[in-house]
């Protein structure tokens, strides 16, 4: 005997089995009890002093501030904090962290080895006077936080299960790191001796770092990257960085 389903029955079945359209693919684990990132002092050191590059010293100061700020937050969130390993390279190597050196990467995070890689040369840091190097360092550190808090594990599992939307998920992952870098910048802003003009210049540099023209967009358009950086900076709270439940237009 053939069972004939009415249109209403079919629609009801779909509604019962399909996941909610707005369900976040990854839950952001930023508890209210952890609060905002505490304001800390992190004065910049010169990238160049007496005509001599001081990029390593500059980055070491930034990393020390990141360790202090995020270490306190992660502990308040009830998680165990572990500093990332940090490696500095005068020039790009052929391989790093067991893989080829990523092309066009300003800096990057080796997820399996919990290691932040900083090239000490390149347009992202050499002779710069703006805040872009701090933003890049804080972004890569944001990936370390995503690993510590279980976000990366959930994201990767979802990406494996939904390869059709892997690029979209990657954008949410990367834009969350942009937002977390903004949170850090907001927490140390008063100690940077910078002006609103410097902040505007950083937003412009961030917009220019978007992958608008890339056929495989994985980091987000420049406007999206600037939006999430600004959002984190204004909130000074990781809870504001829930890119996973954001509408598609905000993670384009």
């Amino acid at each position: 005997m053939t069972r004939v389903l009415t249109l209403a029955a079919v629609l009801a079945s779909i509604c019962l089995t399909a996941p909610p359209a707005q369900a976040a693919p990854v839950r952001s684990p930023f508890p209210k009890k952890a609060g905002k990132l505490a304001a800390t002092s992190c004065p910049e050191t010169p990238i160049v002093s007496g005509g001599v590059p001081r990029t390593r010293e500059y980055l070491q100061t930034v990393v020390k501030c990141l360790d202090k700020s995020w270490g306190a937050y992660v502990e308040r969130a009830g998680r165990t904090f572990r500093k990332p390993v940090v490696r500095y390279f005068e020039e790009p190597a052929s391989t790093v962290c067991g893989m080829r050196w990523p092309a066009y990467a300003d800096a990057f995070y080796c997820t399996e080895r919990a290691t932040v890689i900083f090239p000490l040369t390149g347009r992202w840091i050499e002779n710069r006077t703006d805040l872009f190097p701090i933003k890049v360092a804080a972004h890569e550190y944001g990936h370390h936080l995503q690993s510590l808090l279980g976000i990366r594990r959930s994201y990767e599992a979802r990406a494996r299960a939904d390869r059709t939307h892997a690029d979209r998920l990657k954008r949410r992952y990367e834009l969350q790191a942009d937002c977390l870098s903004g949170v850090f910048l907001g927490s140390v802003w008063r100690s940077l001796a910078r002006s609103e003009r410097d902040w505007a210049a950083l937003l412009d540099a961030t917009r220019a770092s978007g992958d608008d023209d890339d056929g495989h967009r994985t980091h987000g358009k420049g406007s999206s990257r600037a939006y999430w950086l600004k959002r984190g900076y204004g909130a000074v709270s990781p809870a504001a960085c829930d890119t996973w439940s954001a509408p598609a237009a905000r993670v384009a």
Side-chain angles (χ1 to χ4, degrees):
M1 179 178 178
T2 302
R3 184 182 177 187
V4 179
L5 296 177
T6 65
L7 178 60
V10 172
L11 291 175
S13 174
I14 293 174
C15 290
L16 287 173
T17 58
Q22 299 300 319
V26 175
R27 185 177 179 181
S28 291
F30 301 118
K32 289 184 178 180
K33 67 177 182 179
K36 295 184 177 183
L37 200 64
T40 55
S41 179
C42 188
E44 290 181 87
T45 60
I47 285 183
V48 177
S49 179
V52 178
R54 303 289 184 188
T55 49
R56 182 189 292 263
E57 292 88 340
Y58 177 91
L59 289 168
Q60 286 173 333
T61 298
V62 174
V63 170
K64 187 178 294 185
C65 294
L66 286 161
D67 286 340
K68 181 179 178 181
S69 295
W70 286 116
Y73 177 86
V74 171
E75 294 294 339
R76 290 200 308 275
R79 300 296 188 94
T80 300
F81 176 73
R82 296 183 301 277
K83 296 178 182 180
V85 175
V86 181
R87 296 182 64 191
Y88 303 92
F89 287 79
E90 293 291 341
E91 297 288 344
S94 57
T95 60
V96 63
C97 297
M99 63 181 183
R100 284 181 176 242
W101 187 282
Y104 309 113
D106 290 331
F108 50 98
Y109 178 70
C110 299
T111 56
E112 299 304 322
R113 303 188 186 188
T115 301
V116 180
I117 304 296
F118 288 127
L120 299 178
T121 56
R123 293 178 59 189
W124 81 280
I125 194 166
E126 285 184 281
N127 300 312
R128 294 197 75 124
T129 59
D130 62 2
L131 288 163
F132 192 67
I134 291 184
K135 185 265 178 185
V136 171
H139 172 100
E140 299 308 329
Y141 204 99
H143 288 319
H144 182 62
L145 294 168
Q146 288 171 314
S147 289
L148 289 180
L149 298 173
I151 297 171
R152 177 178 65 86
R153 184 169 56 252
S154 296
Y155 148 67
E156 290 180 344
R158 182 59 183 261
R160 285 193 297 270
D162 187 9
R163 295 187 182 279
T164 302
H165 299 118
D167 279 2
R168 298 182 191 178
L169 292 169
K170 184 65 158 51
R171 288 199 298 273
R172 292 181 186 273
Y173 179 72
E174 293 292 345
L175 290 168
Q176 185 172 54
D178 278 336
C179 184
L180 293 172
S181 70
V183 171
F184 173 73
L185 280 165
S187 72
V188 300
W189 182 259
R190 290 189 178 182
S191 67
L192 295 178
R194 294 286 191 156
S195 67
E196 289 304 311
R197 182 176 296 179
D198 291 307
W199 173 245
L202 176 59
L203 289 176
D204 287 342
T206 301
R207 291 187 190 97
S209 69
D211 50 15
D212 302 56
D213 299 326
D214 190 343
H216 299 283
R217 291 187 298 103
T218 57
H219 283 64
K221 292 183 178 180
S223 58
S224 296
R225 300 198 72 173
Y227 169 82
W228 286 102
L229 175 68
K230 187 175 180 179
R231 181 179 173 88
Y233 171 83
V236 199
S237 171
C241 299
D242 184 9
T243 56
W244 305 103
S245 62
R250 285 299 184 196
V251 291

